[in-house]
Amino acid sequence: GSNCLSPQVVVLSKQWKQKDLFREKLMEELKRQPTTPCYYPGSVDKNKSLVDGCKQFGSKCTTIVAPSVSEETAVGEGDHVVLVECGTPGEEGFNSQPLLVEAFGPTLSIIELDSEKDENEMFLANVVVPFLNNKDNIFGSLSCSVFTPKSKGSYERLQEVLSTLNYGTVAINQMNLFGYTASAKGGIWGGHSLETLGQSGNGNIGDLFGIIGKNTAKVVLYGPSLETKPPLDNASPPPTVVLDMVREFVCTDSILKGMGNALALVISRTFPFHVGSK
């Protein structure tokens, strides 16, 4: 929760029959994933103030205790994820407070939008997009992720939804993390240009090839089917050398250079040598 890539709000359909099962699976996964400390100064206190305010409002707040990211890293009570049930806009008991601030801490809010009149893909277009694009409803425009099975709606309808979401990065069945790495490959990273409040900063980074310029643009990422196991799992990470090799491929300006750097990395890790004097 202590960086700008972390999700802060989960948007569900109020009429979704599997929403309670989703909550169970979400909590199971949060318990399984390792926790890292809130490393920004003041983030623990700010997050505690937000959670305390939600409790006083009457919102259900559930702390998810998870293991530390390593045996050497200590995590405290304020480092664990807190799930906040915000309710449905327009209904009694709806709590908008955690939607209108940048938590920058491990608070994850859940809201349910009424989809009674709009089913399937129309729910995204007619309910979700207008709600998210209105910054009186929710903070920021940096990135969002849409998780949807292939069985729900047409490809053309999904493209219409993507074109109208005013977020700098929109990820489909994928982590928004790769929107940031795309900025090293010709894409951009930053808030959406139509969001003029500056909540997610001003301008962007990237555009290495000068294609976008001052034009309105966003990065759209496509992940695999929801039936496919995610390639990255923080609870069971690959060896460090593999992650370092991926970094070399992603952060270099050519595939050939990336391959050379990755090969040199493997050789240095396999046959380490030391230079010194007697």
Side-chain angles (χ1 to χ4, degrees):
S2 293
N3 66 65
C4 59
L5 289 166
S6 300
Q8 185 172 325
V9 180
V10 175
V11 180
L12 302 177
S13 165
K14 181 181 178 182
Q15 281 74 29
W16 187 29
K17 296 180 180 179
Q18 294 176 290
K19 63 182 183 181
D20 292 333
L21 178 60
F22 171 82
R23 283 179 169 86
E24 292 178 11
K25 295 300 181 182
L26 176 62
M27 294 181 67
E28 290 177 5
E29 191 62 23
L30 290 174
K31 291 178 181 178
R32 194 178 70 88
Q33 294 294 331
T35 294
T36 56
C38 296
Y39 44 82
Y40 279 96
S43 61
V44 172
D45 293 336
K46 180 180 180 181
N47 194 65
K48 183 178 184 301
S49 177
L50 176 61
V51 173
D52 288 345
C54 290
K55 290 179 179 178
Q56 293 175 5
F57 186 86
S59 299
K60 179 182 178 182
C61 301
T62 305
T63 301
I64 312 297
V65 178
S68 173
V69 69
S70 70
E71 295 181 357
E72 297 79 16
T73 304
V75 293
E77 181 180 353
D79 296 320
H80 294 294
V81 174
V82 178
L83 279 181
V84 179
E85 293 286 350
C86 294
T88 300
E91 295 187 0
E92 184 179 356
F94 174 66
N95 181 11
S96 64
Q97 179 184 359
L99 309 182
L100 299 176
V101 297
E102 186 178 25
F104 239 79
T107 297
L108 185 62
S109 302
I110 299 178
I111 67 170
E112 296 183 2
L113 299 183
D114 192 347
S115 61
E116 187 174 3
K117 297 180 181 179
D118 299 277
E119 296 295 334
N120 298 331
E121 71 270 19
M122 299 307 298
F123 169 63
L124 282 175
N126 294 346
V127 181
V128 177
V129 171
F131 181 87
L132 295 181
N133 284 349
N134 185 346
K135 295 301 105 178
D136 290 335
N137 295 328
I138 193 166
F139 185 96
S141 65
L142 189 62
S143 64
C144 67
S145 297
V146 179
F147 293 92
T148 179
K150 292 182 178 180
S151 60
K152 292 294 183 181
S154 65
Y155 179 82
E156 291 75 15
R157 177 64 67 181
L158 179 60
Q159 296 307 302
E160 293 178 12
V161 170
L162 299 181
S163 67
T164 55
L165 269 171
N166 293 339
Y167 281 80
T169 291
V170 180
I172 310 301
N173 298 341
Q174 185 61 275
M175 294 188 300
N176 55 3
L177 163 67
F178 295 110
Y180 182 78
T181 58
S183 64
K185 294 296 182 179
I188 58 174
W189 177 256
H192 197 274
S193 59
L194 295 181
E195 190 269 286
T196 58
L197 299 177
Q199 293 178 338
S200 297
N202 296 300
N204 53 61
I205 60 173
D207 192 20
L208 299 180
F209 306 111
I211 298 174
I212 300 170
K214 296 183 180 181
N215 297 318
T216 299
K218 71 183 76 171
V219 169
V220 179
L221 309 167
Y222 293 89
S225 167
L226 292 181
E227 289 76 22
T228 303
K229 183 178 180 180
L232 297 178
D233 184 356
N234 287 338
S236 181
T240 304
V241 65
V242 174
L243 295 177
D244 290 341
M245 290 174 64
V246 171
R247 181 197 63 200
E248 294 296 338
F249 277 109
V250 170
C251 298
T252 52
D253 53 9
S254 71
I255 295 178
L256 184 61
K257 185 177 180 180
M259 291 176 62
N261 291 348
L263 179 60
L265 184 68
V266 172
I267 293 175
S268 66
R269 298 285 178 87
T270 306
F271 306 103
F273 63 91
H274 302 279
V275 178
S277 60
K278 294 184 179 180

